[in-house]
Amino acid sequence: MKDKKNTSASLPTLRRLPRYIHVLKRLKLKNTEYVSATTIAEELEIESIQVRKDLSVTGIVGKPKIGFELDELIISIQEFLNWNKQEDAYLIGVGGLGKAIVSYENFKNYGLNIVAVFDNNKKKIGKKINGLEILPLDKLYDFGERKNVKIGVITTPASAAQEVCDKLIINGVKAIWNFSPVSLKAPKDIIIESVHLSQSLAVLTHKLSMKVIEK
Amino acid sequence: MKDKKNTSASLPTLRRLPRYIHVLKRLKLKNTEYVSATTIAEELEIESIQVRKDLSVTGIVGKPKIGFELDELIISIQEFLNWNKQEDAYLIGVGGLGKAIVSYENFKNYGLNIVAVFDNNKKKIGKKINGLEILPLDKLYDFGERKNVKIGVITTPASAAQEVCDKLIINGVKAIWNFSPVSLKAPKDIIIESVHLSQSLAVLTHKLSMKVIEK
DNA sequence: TAGATTGTTAATCGATTAACAATC
DNA sequence: TAGATTGTTAATCGATTAACAATC
C-alpha cells in the first residue's frame, strides 16, 4: 500500500476520484460499511473495472467478494489527493466568481483553505467577504514573507490574469487555480490548473446543435 | 466544407475549440488577417498538428504557406459550436455561483442567453438579479408552455439538484449544464454536461503534493 | 461449496503525433 | 524558385475494457 501512495495517476483518473468520494460520503450517511466497485460504478454510470483501476492508484486493498471498507476507502482517496490536510491559498479578483469561491465553505473538504483575498478595485478594498478583508495586491508581499502559501486562485478578468500570475509566483506560490480564459505563462515547475467554463459550454452547445439536426 | 459541418468531434477537440477562439479574438484586436496553426499552437503551448486536426472538424479550409483567414476561422468555429446563435436558458439556484453566472454577460458570446432565474428561497423570490426577477420554481410551468427553452443551468445545492433536473426535463429542457456535485439521472436523449470544480482541484492538490515529496 | 468481487495481465480502442505529398 | 504550411494517411501512445486467476 505505502509504496504505491506516491505514484502519480493519469488525469482522467484524478478527475474521477472526487466523484467517488462524493458517492462514498452519501453511502456513509446510510451507515454502509463495505462498498464494491460495482456499486460505485452503477451510481456514476461508468464501468466497474474503471472504478477498480482508479481506486488501485490510491493503494487501497479490498476484500474479494466483499468490496472496500467504506471509511478506509474515503481516507485512502483523500490522502492520495492530499485532501486530508488543507493547503493555504490566496484568491485574487473579487468579482462574482471570486466571491462565490471564497464563500463556498466546502472547498475546505477539498484541501483548499483561502487565507487572504485581494483586489485592486478601490471600492472593494477594505470590505470584508466571508470574514476576510479585501486587500490591495501590493499587500501580497507582506504575506509572501511571513506565510507559506503555495496555492493562488485567479478570478480576475482576463486582462489582469498574467500579471497577477507573475506576482503570485514571485511571492512563492507553487500552484495556480486559474479561472480566467487566459493561457498563463509560467516556469515549468509551477502547476497551472485552469477551469475554462467555456470549454464545458462548448461541449453542451455543440451536442445540442447536433441533436436538433438529427430530427 | 458544408458536408463536414454536421459531423461530431471528440470531447478533447470540443474542449480545445473555445481556447482557439480566445486566441483568435486577441489576434483580431491586433488586426491580424491570417493565422497559422503554428501560431495558435505556440500561444497555447500545444502541438501545431493538434490544432490543424481540431480545426479541420469545423470544415474550414486554409491556404498552404499562409494559414487561415482570421475572421473566417472564428466564424467557422463559432458555427460549429453553435455560438453564432444564442440558445435561451433557465438558471435554477441563485447562490453565489448562480449569481456569478447570471451576471457574467460574456456567456452570450458562448451561445448562452439566460432568460429566467429561479430559486425556492422565499427571501430571494421577487428580487432582481441582472434585470431578471427571481421566480419560484413552480413558475417554470408557465414558461415551459410558452417558450422554447432548451438549456437548464443547475446551480442549486446537491440536495435539490435531481429534483430540479426532473422538473426541467418535464418542461422541455433538452440539455443541462450542471454545477452541483451530483451525478444526475436523466433519459438518454437528454444532454448532461457537468462542471465539477472538485475535479479540477483534485488535479491541482494531487500534483502539488507530488511536488513537495520530490524535494 | 458456489458465487461475487478483487487485482493484474493482455487486448482493444481512440486520441495524439509523425510523415509526407500537395500547394500558395 | 524555395520554404512554409495545409490536409491526409499511417504510426504511436496511452487509456479503457476484457479476461481470468486468486480468494473471502
Side-chain angles (χ1 to χ4, degrees), chain A residues 16-33:
Chain A
R16 280 187 297 265
L17 290 175
R19 308 196 62 202
Y20 301 157
I21 289 187
H22 191 259
V23 171
L24 296 172
K25 281 192 176 172
R26 268 206 299 167
L27 288 172
K28 196 168 158 55
L29 296 179
K30 294 184 198 161
N31 292 316
T32 314
E33 210 175 330

Side-chain angles (χ1 to χ4, degrees), chain B residues 184-196:
Chain B
L184 296 175
K185 304 289 180 293
K188 284 204 189 65
D189 64 319
I190 302 295
I191 297 156
I192 306 264
E193 174 65 25
S194 295
V195 176
H196 298 307

Side-chain angles (χ1 to χ4, degrees), chain B residues 50-210:
Chain B
Q50 187 163 66
V51 176
R52 257 185 298 154
K53 257 277 168 71
D54 287 343
L55 296 182
S56 74
V57 303
T58 71
I60 186 98
V61 175
K63 295 199 179 105
K65 187 176 176 178
I66 294 172
F68 302 88
E69 205 271 301
L70 185 57
D71 287 323
E72 194 192 338
L73 183 52
I74 293 175
I75 290 169
S76 183
I77 301 174
Q78 286 176 333
E79 282 183 355
F80 186 75
L81 297 177
N82 213 31
W83 287 4
N84 53 326
K85 304 172 204 132
Q86 283 178 13
E87 201 63 67
D88 287 345
Y90 301 129
L91 181 139
I92 297 92
V94 189
L97 190 59
K99 258 187 231 167
I101 290 172
V102 175
S103 307
Y104 189 61
E105 286 296 321
N106 256 5
F107 284 131
K108 297 223 165 113
N109 297 323
Y110 304 156
L112 193 78
N113 182 34
I114 294 169
V115 294
V117 177
F118 301 87
D119 200 302
N120 267 348
N121 184 330
K122 281 179 185 159
K123 286 181 189 161
K124 292 176 183 170
I125 292 169
K127 287 191 180 171
K128 282 205 168 185
I129 176 164
N130 210 35
L132 296 169
E133 191 185 338
I134 300 174
L135 303 169
L137 198 49
D138 303 334
K139 294 274 181 183
L140 200 57
Y141 294 95
D142 305 342
F143 274 88
E145 285 170 22
R146 296 199 315 269
K147 300 230 184 183
N148 184 25
V149 179
K150 296 209 198 72
I151 300 178
V153 184
I154 297 181
T155 44
T156 65
S159 53
Q162 183 62 59
E163 192 194 332
V164 166
C165 174
D166 297 342
K167 286 192 179 165
L168 285 169
I169 294 169
I170 289 171
N171 283 278
V173 159
K174 300 295 177 204
I176 287 171
W177 202 19
N178 171 42
F179 286 82
S180 84
V182 174
S183 179
L184 296 175
K185 304 289 180 293
K188 284 204 189 65
D189 64 319
I190 302 295
I191 297 156
I192 306 264
E193 174 65 25
S194 295
V195 176
H196 298 307
L197 294 183
S198 58
Q199 294 189 341
S200 172
L201 200 46
V203 175
L204 184 138
T205 56
H206 175 72
K207 282 188 181 172
L208 187 59
S209 74
M210 290 290 99

